[in-house]
Amino acid sequence: MKSDFSCVSVVSLFYIVYVSAESVPIPENVIVKSLDMGLVLEWDPPQNTTNQLFNYTAEVKAWRDYEPVCVRSSSLRCDFTNDVTTFGLYQLRVRAELHGETSDWVETGEFAVDKITEISAPHVDLSSRKGQTEVEITDPPMRRRNLRDVFTQVSYLIRFWRKGEAKKEELKRDQNRIMLPNLEPLVNYCVEVAVLYLYNKKTSQFSNMTCVTNSPSSEVEPWVIAVVLLCSFLVVLVAIVLIFLAMWYGYKGCRIIFPDTKLPENLKQFLSQQSQSPILSAMQESTQQKEHFHELRIFHTEPDSSQTEGSGIQTEKEECCAGADVTQRSEEKSETASTTSEEQHLLSE
């Protein structure tokens, strides 16, 4: 019995000494992660301690001494982004704490943030116009500074393919706006893009697949141009013919409505000689023609004179009046005869 008790005592003493020496185990799986120039240290709790609630302290070393960043935190990660610069060498460490006891430090190797950081996927927009598809790339936002401020050489890896096909074509370009070559119109294409940085040695995450249908081509086939030119020529020719016909029939209609007749030559001569006719001249003159008259003399005799003298005076008066009438009639006859002769002459012409 004593030997068995002594063996149990030795084992118990050894276990107590071992537990006291290893009272708080160290964190497991300590990993440094950097995304978009951020810096995070992550770890797992010690093994076989699921029922224990540990606290953790994490520190960073920039020059000579470590500086605490996360102190007695229950989280399994610590963010060092605001405690580091873009360029420089750093070293991190973490330990576990339980009931005032602490584990040993777990240290990382020395690293530079710009060398270990990962870049997230860029943003991609597609647009198609006149048979060409353009890819517009937007750099992912950095947690510290801009992408091109950190990396002087940045390019893009573009993959594009027909939707539903496995074969992909690749392009490497420095510009953030790229026209995809050799695309067929009215075909659906898909695109994904990654950023090449750190002298094209590292690749960012690929963007989500973005698809667009390529628009119809703006190039016109030669036969289409020929057909258009021929149709244009025919339209112009028909328009010219119609305009000519419209003008011709319009002119004919005006000639019918307003005829351009010619007078006979004899009528033209008659009208030209009308100005020489005394009758026409007399008709055109507004002055009244001069009347012909004879002087009438009346002799007065005494009432007691003889009858013979009275009769003689009366006879003389009658002769005088008769002579005047005869003279007037002869002048009228001469005028009528001259008028008749002129009219006969005009009619004969």
Side-chain angles (χ1 to χ4, degrees):
M1 288 293 294
K2 291 183 179 180
S3 60
D4 294 336
F5 179 78
S6 61
C7 290
V8 171
S9 298
V10 172
V11 171
S12 300
L13 181 61
F14 178 79
Y15 177 76
I16 293 171
V17 173
Y18 177 79
V19 171
S20 62
E22 298 290 340
S23 59
V24 181
I26 61 175
E28 302 288 339
N29 302 322
V30 178
I31 300 174
V32 177
K33 293 184 178 181
S34 178
L35 179 65
D36 298 331
M37 297 305 297
L39 183 62
V40 176
L41 183 66
E42 295 182 354
W43 58 87
D44 293 332
Q47 295 180 353
N48 302 322
T49 57
T50 55
N51 295 326
Q52 301 292 333
L53 297 178
F54 292 92
N55 291 329
Y56 304 94
T57 298
E59 298 178 347
V60 59
K61 180 182 179 182
W63 297 100
R64 296 181 179 179
D65 300 327
Y66 280 96
E67 296 180 0
V69 176
C70 299
V71 179
R72 291 186 295 275
S73 173
S74 60
S75 176
L76 296 177
R77 65 192 303 273
C78 183
D79 193 345
F80 294 88
T81 303
N82 296 328
D83 299 282
V84 297
T85 60
T86 304
F87 307 102
L89 296 176
Y90 297 95
Q91 192 172 3
L92 307 179
R93 67 181 184 180
V94 62
R95 70 182 181 185
E97 300 176 357
L98 180 64
H99 304 304
E101 300 293 333
T102 60
S103 69
D104 293 334
W105 291 101
V106 178
E107 296 182 350
T108 65
E110 196 174 50
F111 60 87
V113 180
D114 60 321
K115 298 296 189 298
I116 67 169
T117 191
E118 300 290 336
I119 304 299
S120 58
H123 179 73
V124 176
D125 288 321
L126 297 181
S127 60
S128 182
R129 183 173 177 269
K130 295 183 179 181
Q132 294 183 338
T133 296
E134 183 183 40
V135 182
E136 184 176 358
I137 306 170
T138 304
D139 294 334
M142 299 288 101
R143 296 191 63 182
R144 297 186 66 88
R145 306 181 69 175
N146 295 325
L147 179 65
R148 296 181 181 272
D149 294 336
V150 178
F151 305 102
T152 56
Q153 294 183 358
V154 176
S155 58
Y156 303 99
L157 177 63
I158 302 108
R159 293 177 181 173
F160 63 97
W161 66 97
R162 288 184 177 220
K163 190 174 182 179
E165 295 184 359
K167 183 181 178 181
K168 298 181 180 181
E169 298 185 24
E170 291 187 354
L171 294 174
K172 289 183 180 180
R173 296 290 186 271
D174 296 332
Q175 302 81 12
N176 60 352
R177 297 173 70 97
I178 304 101
M179 288 290 185
L180 298 180
N182 304 324
L183 299 186
E184 296 182 7
L186 302 178
V187 176
N188 199 359
Y189 287 90
C190 297
V191 177
E192 60 181 9
V193 181
V195 179
L196 295 176
Y197 63 102
L198 200 61
Y199 306 101
N200 293 337
K201 294 180 180 179
K202 300 187 68 174
T203 304
S204 73
Q205 303 172 8
F206 274 93
S207 64
N208 294 330
M209 182 178 66
T210 306
C211 301
V212 69
T213 300
N214 194 28
S215 60
S217 176
S218 60
E219 297 180 358
V220 183
E221 298 294 334
W223 65 269
V224 176
I225 298 176
V227 170
V228 171
L229 291 176
L230 180 61
C231 294
S232 302
F233 174 77
L234 293 177
V235 170
V236 172
L237 181 62
V238 171
I240 293 174
V241 172
L242 292 177
I243 292 173
F244 174 77
L245 293 177
M247 294 178 64
W248 172 256
Y249 284 108
Y251 172 74
K252 298 292 288 183
C254 292
R255 292 293 301 273
I256 293 173
I257 297 174
F258 305 102
D260 186 13
T261 57
K262 295 183 178 181
L263 295 176
E265 294 296 330
N266 55 358
L267 185 58
K268 288 182 179 180
Q269 292 179 2
F270 173 73
L271 293 176
S272 64
Q273 293 177 358
Q274 282 183 353
S275 59
Q276 302 175 1
S277 175
I279 300 174
L280 183 61
S281 300
M283 293 175 62
Q284 291 178 351
E285 291 179 357
S286 60
T287 59
Q288 189 175 3
Q289 293 183 355
K290 184 177 181 180
E291 296 182 356
H292 299 279
F293 63 91
H294 294 275
E295 183 179 358
L296 178 63
R297 295 179 180 181
I298 301 174
F299 296 94
H300 179 70
T301 59
E302 294 295 331
D304 56 353
S305 61
S306 64
Q307 188 178 359
T308 305
E309 291 177 357
S311 61
I313 295 170
Q314 186 177 0
T315 303
E316 185 178 357
K317 290 179 181 180
E318 290 178 355
E319 289 179 354
C320 181
C321 292
D325 293 337
V326 169
T327 304
Q328 185 175 2
R329 288 174 184 173
S330 62
E331 289 178 356
E332 290 178 356
K333 287 181 179 181
S334 63
E335 290 178 358
T336 304
S338 63
T339 303
T340 304
S341 63
E342 288 179 358
E343 290 179 355
Q344 289 178 357
H345 177 71
L346 292 173
L347 293 175
S348 64
E349 289 180 353

